[in-house]
Amino acid sequence: MKGTVQITVPCGVVSKTILEGIGRLQRESVIGIRGTIKKMPKAPRGVEIIPEELRILNIAKPLPFEMRGRARLDIRLDERTLDLRRPESRAIFRIRHATLNAIRSFLLKEGYMEIQTPKIIASATEGGAALFPIIYYGREAFLAQSPQLYKEQLASVYEKVFEIGPVFRAEEFHTTRHLCEITSVDIEEAFVKAEDVMRVLESMIAFVIEIIKTKCDYELLILKRRLEIPRLPFPRFTYDDILEELRREDIHITWGEDLPTPALRKLGRLHKDYYFITDWPTQSKPFYMLPRGDNPRICDAFDLMHGWIEIASGGTRIHTRKLLEKRIKEQGLTPESFTFHLKVFDYGMPPHAGWGLGLERLLMALTGKKNIREVIFFPRDPRRLKP
Ligand code: AMO
């Protein structure tokens, strides 16, 4: 049997040594018990143990917060390992474990090969401001914001690749949905377009939910969370549709801008489940997204949303060197920093597409947690570097 069980210590039945020993214990102390199991319908598991032998392995000090009460998140995070013993936290990370397993088995079944790309890199991919610089043997280097360039390169060799790994974002904001270190699930595939990888993404989400519903029913119960398997395909709206919808709600966004938080909040009230936003302005997306042949102001990029939160983004990529160099310059970056990447495009780069999904953002959607710090073991944000 696994989990919690009630131990009852009736005076006059158990020995004096056991009674004294139990009296010395604090919550969360580590003990071993040998005893008789008795039926007890009122106990949480329907049984209780009457101890005949008690072994005290380690006595805990008084705890900094009440394990079954509602402690402030920052206090819990200061004592994260202890916090993880709370049934709710434990349930979240069981779901995280099952989610990762489900993602991996889905992508393997779909024929993607698992890759690992460097996390110490030489140049930005998602915009320079959000990079952590490091000193690498006297030279400047950075922590990777995304496996973007390497996954594109490896898709030119293996056609279908995926990576599950850490990425680092030097975020300036203090929000409930941003962290500085996250786990990113990335795919990249040759000879396909955005729409093809969007189908992979939505099928993967539906598969993950199906698995969580069956394998984590106990954890969902603890979190008081009901999950529905979403219907496929997910709704698709263009960026222009969304701007128009927001305009009707009296929120006016200049064409070309990203969607600010109040607009996202409004969208979340209008669309509660999963949906895609497609056809983004080229200027609002990274340099590697493919501009439309008929209208280069728009690119073949998409975001996957859940309510007001962006879970993933991706698109069709540029696969010719000339256009890629032009876009790098237009985004204010220097092509020389990307020589190692650009030259791969000289040797036959197939058309390709892919996406990157923030595991923690998906877990917020799955667990219903409102703060991203709840769904990562040891969060890193601008204020928190420990524990
Ligand atoms: P993007 O920068 O949109 O795209 O990141 C992909 C997904 O990662 C998650 N994410 C974050 N989660 C928590 N905190 C953060 N600071 C944070 N930053 C990003 C989001 C987001 O949707 N290379 C592209 C992907 C691609 O085109 O393949 C990229 O990195 O869920």
Side-chain angles (χ1 to χ4, degrees), residues 84 86-96 216 218-220 222-223 367:
L84 292 174
R86 293 165 59 252
E88 216 190 42
S89 302
R90 253 215 305 243
I92 291 172
F93 289 91
R94 288 267 166 220
I95 292 177
R96 185 176 165 117
C216 298
Y218 175 67
E219 284 75 14
L220 291 172
I222 288 186
L223 297 175
T367 61

Side-chain angles (χ1 to χ4, degrees), residues 126 146 148 151 169 171 179 288 310-311 313 317 355:
E126 314 298 319
S146 154
Q148 186 63 39
K151 69 174 178 170
R169 303 279 169 116
E171 299 289 4
L179 289 170
Y288 47 78
E310 178 200 317
I311 306 261
S313 69
R317 322 300 191 181
W355 45 253

Side-chain angles (χ1 to χ4, degrees), residues 31-187:
I31 58 171
I33 290 267
R34 190 197 305 278
T36 316
I37 299 176
K38 274 182 50 186
K39 265 199 183 150
M40 173 48 71
K42 280 193 200 142
R45 303 286 290 256
V47 293
E48 62 180 10
I49 300 179
I50 311 293
E52 283 149 21
E53 188 189 337
L54 166 69
R55 246 186 247 176
I56 298 181
L57 303 172
N58 216 333
I59 294 187
K61 287 189 179 166
L63 305 182
F65 52 81
E66 179 49 54
M67 296 295 274
R68 295 197 178 265
R70 279 177 161 265
R72 267 200 3 236
L73 179 60
D74 55 338
I75 297 176
R76 289 200 281 112
L77 290 178
D78 285 344
E79 312 288 346
R80 186 52 151 165
T81 310
L82 179 63
D83 172 58
L84 292 174
R85 288 193 189 168
R86 293 165 59 252
E88 216 190 42
S89 302
R90 253 215 305 243
I92 291 172
F93 289 91
R94 288 267 166 220
I95 292 177
R96 185 176 165 117
H97 171 73
T99 301
L100 273 171
N101 273 334
I103 288 175
R104 188 171 265 117
S105 62
F106 177 87
L107 293 174
L108 290 173
K109 183 170 59 80
E110 292 293 315
Y112 292 87
M113 185 176 111
E114 187 158 8
I115 56 166
Q116 295 78 35
T117 62
K119 302 303 157 214
I120 301 176
I121 56 159
S123 42
T125 52
E126 314 298 319
L131 272 176
F132 283 112
I134 55 168
I135 305 295
Y136 190 70
Y137 300 102
R139 269 178 295 160
E140 188 179 52
F142 305 96
L143 294 179
Q145 292 169 305
S146 154
Q148 186 63 39
L149 307 184
Y150 294 97
K151 69 174 178 170
E152 286 190 49
Q153 294 188 18
L154 293 176
S156 80
V157 184
Y158 300 105
E159 291 195 27
K160 293 173 88 165
V161 295
F162 79 99
E163 174 162 16
I164 302 177
V167 299
F168 305 89
R169 303 279 169 116
E171 299 289 4
E172 286 305 329
F173 0 85
H174 304 266
T175 78
T176 51
R177 66 184 197 286
H178 287 97
L179 289 170
C180 299
E181 181 176 357
I182 60 166
T183 295
S184 181
V185 178
D186 278 83
I187 76 159

